Every structure is written in C-alpha cells, then in structure tokens.
Amino acid sequence: MTKKVTELESGKIKISEDVYATIASITALDTKGVHHMSSTFNDGVNTFFRRKTDHEGVKISFNDDGAIVVVLYVSIAYGYRIPDIALRLQERIKTALVNYTEIEVEAVDIVVQDIIFDDFGPECSPSMEE
C-alpha cells in the first residue's frame, strides 16, 4: 500500500491510499443521483479472500509528481442525467480531497457501470399497447 508523504519542518505526514479512497467514497455516496459504488475486479478478488474494504469501487494512484488520480466505479439512479452526475462527482471529490488533505488532484475519472431502476418494476413499466 503506497502512502503519500508530506515533508514538514517538524516531521513527516503520511496519508494512506485508504484515506483518500474513503474520502472519495463517502463524497460520492453523498452525491444526489449516485445509487451505490460498483465493484471492480479487484474488489471481487478481495471479497473472495475475505478482505472487504469500505471503499469499494474506488481506485487510487499517483503520478510521478505526487498528484492523485482517482477512478470511481458507480451505479446511477434512473432519471438523472449521467453527464451532470459525473461532472458533479468530479467537482465534489476534487474539492473534498483538496480540503481534507491538501493534495494536488490530477484527475477524477468516473466509470458508470449501471443504471438502477428502483421504482420501475414490471408493474410500473410503460405500456407497449399504444
């Protein structure tokens, strides 16, 4: 697990990738229109080996300059415009990461893996008889 290290006059601050992932996950789940975080292949492998994490659907990496790159895998609730949700997620997650950790954010990539139709079951679907 890689940690971002910040050098100060009085010592070092190390922030784990898990902290960044948790901030991104909580911010994403608090965004209107996001139904839930989607699993990635690595999440499935971790679950198989009983290493479940609280930040499912978040991938964190760093570029050579130390800036963070976040990839989010989300499922969107039906009825929301996907481009609007993605843009809102990018803005909110970048702001949260900068506010909480003062890290430079290179990119926040959003991968929409599913649309969830909670309120639209077979009994609510539009009629095809028209």
Side-chain angles (χ1 to χ4, degrees):
M1 182 178 312
T2 307
K3 293 180 173 50
K4 171 72 174 137
V5 179
T6 304
E7 300 271 344
L8 300 175
E9 288 181 20
S10 57
K12 296 179 183 179
I13 298 174
K14 295 181 182 179
I15 300 176
S16 172
E17 285 182 18
D18 291 343
V19 173
Y20 296 116
T22 300
I23 292 169
S25 180
I26 290 171
T27 303
L29 290 172
D30 194 37
T31 302
K32 188 173 181 178
V34 174
H35 190 275
H36 66 271
M37 304 298 290
S38 296
S39 298
T40 63
F41 176 75
N42 288 342
D43 293 333
V45 170
N46 286 338
T47 301
F48 179 75
F49 289 111
R50 306 211 192 290
R51 291 181 288 187
K52 180 97 170 99
T53 61
D54 292 333
H55 44 79
E56 180 178 330
V58 181
K59 181 181 168 197
I60 302 291
S61 60
F62 297 94
N63 69 8
D64 295 335
D65 299 329
I68 192 169
V69 177
V70 180
V71 181
L72 282 167
Y73 299 86
V74 296
S75 293
I76 303 294
Y78 177 78
Y80 291 91
R81 283 182 33 88
I82 293 172
D84 294 343
I85 299 293
L87 182 61
R88 188 176 317 130
L89 276 171
Q90 289 172 324
E91 292 170 350
R92 293 189 76 221
I93 289 169
K94 180 178 180 179
T95 301
L97 288 170
V98 170
N99 287 344
Y100 288 125
T101 65
E102 297 182 357
I103 191 167
E104 181 183 341
V105 178
E106 179 181 324
V108 178
D109 297 329
I110 309 298
V111 179
V112 178
Q113 290 190 311
D114 200 5
I115 297 175
I116 305 299
F117 297 91
D118 273 344
D119 298 332
F120 296 96
E123 65 279 356
C124 298
S125 62
S127 176
M128 297 296 287
E129 298 174 5
E130 296 178 13

